[in-house]
Amino acid sequence: MAQANEQRIALAGETDLDGFRTTARRLASDGVEPGQVSWQVASTAEGELFEPTAASMPSSDASAMRVPRFFAELCERVLLHRDPSRFGLMYRLLWRLMQVPALRDDPLDADRMQAEAMARSVRRDLHKMTAFVRFRPLAATAGDDGLGPLHVAWFEPQHHIVEAVAPFFARRFAQMRWAILTPERCVRWDGARLAFSAGAARHEAPPADAGEALWLTYYEHIFNPARLKLAMMQKEMPRRYWTNLPEAVLIQPLANAAALRGTQMIERGGSTLLRRRPLAAIASAISADRLDAAPMQADGSFASLEALANGAGRCRDCPIGALATQAVPGEGPIGARLMLVGEQPGDQEDLHGRPFVGPAGALLDRAIAQLGWRREHLYLTNAVKHFKFELRGKRRIHKTAAQREAAACLQWLEREIEIVRPGALVALGATAARALLGREVGVLRERGCWHVRDDGLRVLVTLHPSALLRMPDAQRDAAWSDWLADLALASADAAPGSTAL
Ligand code: URA
């Protein structure tokens, strides 16, 4: 039953935050009590006769109303909750804040606590969506824009979060065409723009493909029975998400076998086999067919660095790619006399899509200047093309890529060398040295001299600039001079027109 004086507000959609804000401010400044307002969303309003009213309300001095920052932030999240009472709750909270300003300092107020709990649930849902969306390529949809096939994912969020989370996927998968289908809202990225549409059905998303089989093999390999904590795993990855996760089919069987495998691992003792295997052997064992992901020429080479960068951007031969913002391709002139190879992009490189633009890059730039080289004459790249990190609070902390991950990336580095055809290579640190020389390299033992690869290319091994950054102050000056001395060996190769040794 509608109350006398009831004001019916129809918002334009479930996530009409602007409509809510404008209307709530206006209602509050017009003195309309929370009990007099009934909130609805236009598409669900009775008989569809209910046109959105939020934007068409007469204006007053509501725009001058100021709300506490915590309330504005809470609104952003709570209004994405699927509970239809959320609008009423937030309007009541706003109203009470206006009447009793002391409420700002009362975090134990029942309305505030309810709103905080709803905001937490939305935040958790946002986080889970960023972690558990799994794209599958639609083979027949490759365009000629270099972005490859359309990748489609199916996901069932708990709350109305698709619009809020879409920019995250646009940043992270900027170089890929993708769509995320959900029961209520779908979003599509064409490489430049996000487009939203109505919900879809699960069967509209593609089934498993060959790439997924590879991922399952990989998951099985990296699953460590000695580290299994099932309760913790389910807390992080609740069972209701399992239906959309390809790897979920493996969890129970692997968990069942974990105790036995753990015992076998202990009995077998430490393994050194993988360490000693040349990277190239691991790389071909992981995947011979992954190179199909990027357009190749008839002779098996890549047409351009751009095609190569697109291929690396889409590569999911190991899990790092799915978590990084983007692949970071190398940069510099084709035919550069010197190619400097680092380990992997860091946080800044991952965000900017360029190598050596963070703190390690600043140190490298100083060395380049001191040696009288020019950065634009060099080709700078990394052994691993995606940033691997661990989240600590909000910080992304660099994690060294595992051998298997570096091995999966070797295909991109070797193709890059084929295209750039540098005069010589400089390996900055152990990961780069191992990738370039195909064997374990003791950097401290083998630094400061040239090594020759099977293809005849010379490789100068030296420290990674981050190693200098991590050194105690007392050692840094000497380490800096030694590092410059190592690099100086490549001076004859560093500039166009110079004579290589
Ligand atoms: N460290 C690297 O190895 N490469 C970069 O591009 C940046 C930091």
Side-chain angles (χ1 to χ4, degrees):
M1 275 282 282
Q3 291 182 23
N5 300 329
E6 183 184 77
Q7 295 234 13
R8 290 175 167 202
I9 304 298
L11 298 167
E14 295 286 2
T15 54
D16 183 10
L17 266 61
D18 286 343
F20 174 81
R21 279 192 207 106
T22 320
T23 313
R25 282 167 183 264
R26 203 176 324 257
L27 290 168
S29 71
D30 289 351
V32 181
E33 294 189 11
Q36 293 176 277
V37 187
S38 123
W39 296 90
Q40 299 192 11
V41 170
S43 58
T44 59
E46 294 157 25
E48 302 273 350
L49 293 174
F50 218 53
E51 288 298 313
T53 51
S56 56
M57 304 267 302
S59 75
S60 64
D61 60 353
S63 56
M65 182 189 293
R66 298 197 62 78
V67 298
R69 178 194 282 267
F70 90 84
F71 178 82
E73 288 171 0
L74 207 52
C75 258
E76 293 258 320
R77 290 292 168 252
V78 174
L79 294 183
L80 304 183
H81 200 281
R82 70 175 316 104
D83 186 337
S85 71
R86 65 194 182 281
F87 300 114
L89 170 69
M90 292 315 281
Y91 181 57
R92 190 166 66 241
L93 198 48
L94 175 67
W95 174 265
R96 294 182 54 227
L97 276 165
M98 299 294 124
Q99 309 295 318
V100 190
L103 187 56
R104 291 162 198 240
D105 306 314
D106 183 4
L108 296 180
D109 173 78
D111 281 342
R112 266 189 82 168
M113 283 177 64
Q114 186 186 348
E116 296 285 0
M118 289 165 86
R120 271 198 304 280
S121 174
V122 169
R123 264 185 240 116
R124 206 175 311 124
D125 203 28
L126 286 162
H127 170 69
K128 298 294 179 208
M129 185 158 173
T130 58
F132 297 145
V133 158
R134 297 282 185 271
F135 288 106
R136 290 166 171 168
L138 280 184
T141 54
D144 51 12
D145 50 10
L147 291 174
L150 176 66
H151 285 67
V152 182
W154 171 254
F155 194 78
E156 292 167 50
Q158 262 187 301
H159 303 296
H160 304 291
I161 58 170
V162 173
E163 278 105 334
V165 82
F168 164 87
F169 287 99
R171 279 195 306 278
R172 183 155 286 181
F173 299 108
Q175 295 160 22
M176 190 171 107
R177 281 187 300 144
W178 53 259
I180 303 177
L181 314 187
T182 84
E184 286 173 2
R185 204 97 177 98
C186 297
V187 55
R188 202 178 162 116
W189 169 255
D190 62 4
R193 266 175 311 278
L194 287 168
F196 296 92
S197 55
R202 188 192 179 106
H203 65 80
E204 291 172 62
D209 67 345
E212 196 163 294
L214 197 75
W215 161 244
L216 289 182
T217 310
Y218 179 78
Y219 185 84
E220 203 171 354
H221 277 114
I222 60 167
F223 181 88
N224 183 348
R227 289 203 164 172
L228 178 67
K229 291 200 174 52
L230 208 52
M232 184 63 103
M233 181 182 201
Q234 284 188 30
K235 195 164 156 232
E236 277 304 305
M237 195 201 278
R239 272 183 186 268
R240 58 186 201 79
Y241 295 106
W242 289 21
T243 45
N244 299 321
L245 296 177
E247 66 269 32
V249 294
L250 294 177
I251 295 175
Q252 204 58 58
L254 287 172
N256 293 345
L260 180 64
R261 282 184 59 200
T263 316
Q264 288 169 345
M265 278 168 75
I266 293 165
E267 281 167 3
R268 263 202 315 271
S271 155
T272 51
L273 185 63
L274 197 56
R275 282 196 168 282
R276 300 250 164 87
R277 270 171 81 187
L279 273 182
I282 306 177
S284 57
I286 289 177
S287 147
D289 60 353
R290 281 297 72 196
L291 294 172
D292 296 346
M296 273 191 222
Q297 313 211 90
D299 65 358
S301 62
F302 285 89
S304 65
L305 285 175
E306 203 187 344
L308 190 71
N310 278 328
R314 291 198 303 275
C315 179
R316 296 293 177 267
D317 280 358
C318 79
I320 309 182
L323 298 175
T325 307
Q326 56 192 315
V328 177
E331 71 180 23
I334 301 254
R337 300 290 297 267
L338 206 55
M339 179 189 268
L340 271 59
V341 183
E343 179 199 321
Q344 61 167 318
D347 182 76
Q348 290 302 309
E349 289 78 13
D350 169 80
L351 296 173
H352 290 93
R354 294 184 52 210
F356 289 104
V357 291
L363 197 64
L364 183 62
D365 282 344
R366 255 180 69 195
I368 288 172
Q370 198 142 335
L371 288 159
W373 302 356
R374 302 260 299 274
R375 181 168 166 138
E376 62 273 26
H377 291 163
L378 307 170
Y379 190 92
L380 302 184
T381 192
N382 284 296
V384 173
K385 305 300 179 198
H386 286 107
F387 176 38
K388 180 175 178 184
F389 60 90
E390 177 180 278
L391 268 184
R392 271 200 221 137
K394 290 191 175 158
R395 290 179 60 216
R396 303 189 304 169
I397 308 294
H398 163 277
K399 276 192 88 177
T400 303
Q403 276 187 34
R404 187 171 279 276
E405 291 154 348
C409 239
L410 193 56
Q411 53 184 323
W412 307 114
L413 178 62
E414 287 298 338
R415 262 51 185 200
E416 205 173 14
I417 294 173
E418 271 169 29
I419 296 176
V420 176
R421 295 183 196 285
L425 300 158
V426 176
L428 298 169
T431 303
R434 189 168 200 278
L436 291 173
L437 292 170
R439 63 174 174 81
E440 204 68 61
V441 177
V443 173
L444 294 182
R445 211 176 45 243
E446 303 189 49
R447 67 183 288 187
C449 60
W450 291 104
H451 304 261
V452 182
R453 289 167 31 117
D454 291 346
D455 60 5
L457 264 175
R458 290 167 306 133
V459 183
L460 175 65
V461 173
T462 189
L463 301 187
H464 189 281
S466 301
L468 280 92
L469 290 175
R470 285 193 300 267
M471 266 174 203
D473 290 348
Q475 292 172 20
R476 201 173 294 148
D477 281 353
W480 170 252
S481 311
D482 293 348
W483 192 49
L484 287 182
D486 285 355
L487 291 171
L489 280 180
S491 279
D493 301 85
S498 59
T499 311
L501 295 173

